[in-house]
Amino acid sequence: MRHERAHGAGACIRDGGAGARRAAGAESIVRERTGLGLLECKKALAAVGGDIELAIEELRNRQVKNFLTTTMLALGVPMINMGDEVRRTQLGNNNAYCLDNEENWFDWTLPAKHADVLRFTQLLIARRLPALPQVVA
């Protein structure tokens, strides 16, 4: 019986275990695309029934929400760009102000596509507002 190492995981799988190989392959794809650990990838895959793309989307949404929480609940002024609340991207270009093309335009389908992240950001803002000191003029 020949054993293979499942892409960095400690578990060995048998040659005859096609299902185990597929699961290990799915976990390695999720790990590669998200940079997360094996346990997190297994949980994400189990939560969405083994669909790789859904697992990756779920993990990305969780990471976006984690960073938004850190930014919004930290002391000081939160610096978020227009579109962060709906996962807008400029494909790595953080200086696109002078570009008049699709890279810099706002995609108005994103609020519907990422409504959960938008709602989460709205809740974070509502949570932050009462904590702000009141300025007396």
Side-chain angles (χ1 to χ4, degrees), residues 15-50:
D15 273 342
R21 252 194 252 107
R22 273 195 305 276
E27 291 162 5
S28 68
I29 290 170
V30 173
R31 288 178 71 193
E32 179 181 306
R33 292 191 191 173
T34 61
L36 296 176
L38 181 64
L39 183 60
E40 292 165 319
C41 293
K42 282 184 177 184
K43 286 180 185 177
L45 280 168
V48 295

Side-chain angles (χ1 to χ4, degrees), residues 1-7 9-27 42:
M1 174 176 7
R2 190 173 142 248
H3 292 279
E4 296 176 3
R5 197 159 181 102
H7 301 285
C12 289
I13 56 175
R14 281 189 275 177
D15 273 342
R21 252 194 252 107
R22 273 195 305 276
E27 291 162 5
K42 282 184 177 184

Side-chain angles (χ1 to χ4, degrees), residues 29-68:
I29 290 170
V30 173
R31 288 178 71 193
E32 179 181 306
R33 292 191 191 173
T34 61
L36 296 176
L38 181 64
L39 183 60
E40 292 165 319
C41 293
K42 282 184 177 184
K43 286 180 185 177
L45 280 168
V48 295
D51 186 356
I52 294 171
E53 296 303 320
L54 282 176
I56 291 170
E57 264 315 291
E58 195 67 32
L59 289 170
R60 285 182 181 157
N61 271 346
R62 187 174 356 141
Q63 289 174 334
V64 167
K65 289 177 182 178
N66 288 340
F67 286 118
L68 282 169

Side-chain angles (χ1 to χ4, degrees), residues 28-129:
S28 68
I29 290 170
V30 173
R31 288 178 71 193
E32 179 181 306
R33 292 191 191 173
T34 61
L36 296 176
L38 181 64
L39 183 60
E40 292 165 319
C41 293
K42 282 184 177 184
K43 286 180 185 177
L45 280 168
V48 295
D51 186 356
I52 294 171
E53 296 303 320
L54 282 176
I56 291 170
E57 264 315 291
E58 195 67 32
L59 289 170
R60 285 182 181 157
N61 271 346
R62 187 174 356 141
Q63 289 174 334
V64 167
K65 289 177 182 178
N66 288 340
F67 286 118
L68 282 169
T69 302
T70 302
T71 301
M72 293 301 292
L73 299 182
L75 295 176
V77 178
M79 300 296 288
I80 59 173
N81 291 323
M82 178 203 62
D84 283 348
E85 71 278 7
V86 289
R87 290 183 49 185
R88 176 179 176 254
T89 179
Q90 293 177 328
L91 304 174
N93 187 349
N94 62 354
N95 195 17
Y97 71 94
C98 61
L99 299 177
D100 188 21
N101 61 20
E102 292 177 10
E103 189 174 305
N104 199 30
W105 299 338
F106 188 82
D107 181 4
W108 290 101
T109 63
L110 289 176
K113 185 177 178 184
H114 298 293
D116 61 327
V117 178
L118 177 60
R119 181 181 162 279
F120 185 79
T121 305
Q122 291 168 341
L123 292 172
L124 283 174
I125 292 169
R127 174 82 175 165
R128 181 179 169 82
L129 287 178

